[in-house]
Amino acid sequence: MSHVTDLQFLTGHDSGTIVLGAAWVAPDPHNYGHGVHPDAVGFRVDVHPVDAADRAATRAVLRAHALPQLHAWIAQGVAADDTWQLTPHRHYWRLTDGHLTHRDEG
C-alpha cells in the first residue's frame, strides 16, 4: 500500500465485468511544469461496484486471486525500468461467470 497514491471504492451502477482496476500514474517530465503533480505519481486502485447478489462471491474471488495478482503487478511496476515507469499503464480484472481474467489495457 505504500506505493498506492489513491484507493477508491467506486459507487453507482456496476462496471459490467470489471471488478478491480489499477493504474500507474507516470510523471510527465517533458511538459515543463504542467504535468502530473509529484504526489499523484504512483499506483491508483479502483474497486468497482457489483450487484448486491454477487458481492460475497466476488469478494471471495478478489481476496483469493485478484489481490495477490494486484500485489504482483505493483511489485513488477516498482521494479520496472525507466521506460515502463515513464509511461502510464492500466490493468483490469474482469469476472465473468465466475471466471477471473486480467490484463493490461490502454
Side-chain angles (χ1 to χ4, degrees):
M1 283 301 293
S2 64
H3 299 289
V4 175
T5 58
D6 188 27
L7 172 63
Q8 291 188 23
F9 289 86
L10 305 179
T11 60
H13 298 290
D14 71 40
S15 302
T17 59
I18 298 173
V19 292
L20 183 65
W24 167 252
V25 178
D28 192 358
H30 302 294
N31 67 3
Y32 306 103
H34 298 288
V36 175
H37 191 278
D39 290 346
V41 173
F43 293 95
R44 175 183 174 167
V45 176
D46 295 324
V47 180
H48 289 252
V50 296
D51 287 334
D54 300 328
R55 282 191 192 132
T58 301
R59 188 177 302 116
V61 171
L62 287 173
R63 285 183 177 152
H65 302 287
L67 293 180
Q69 292 167 353
L70 170 63
H71 180 269
W73 188 77
I74 289 174
Q76 288 173 346
V78 168
D81 61 17
D82 287 344
T83 302
W84 192 93
Q85 289 189 0
L86 292 173
T87 307
H89 298 275
R90 287 196 177 117
H91 199 90
Y92 291 103
W93 284 260
R94 296 174 184 275
L95 187 60
T96 307
D97 299 325
H99 182 71
L100 184 71
T101 59
H102 64 100
R103 67 179 189 170
D104 286 331
E105 298 182 20

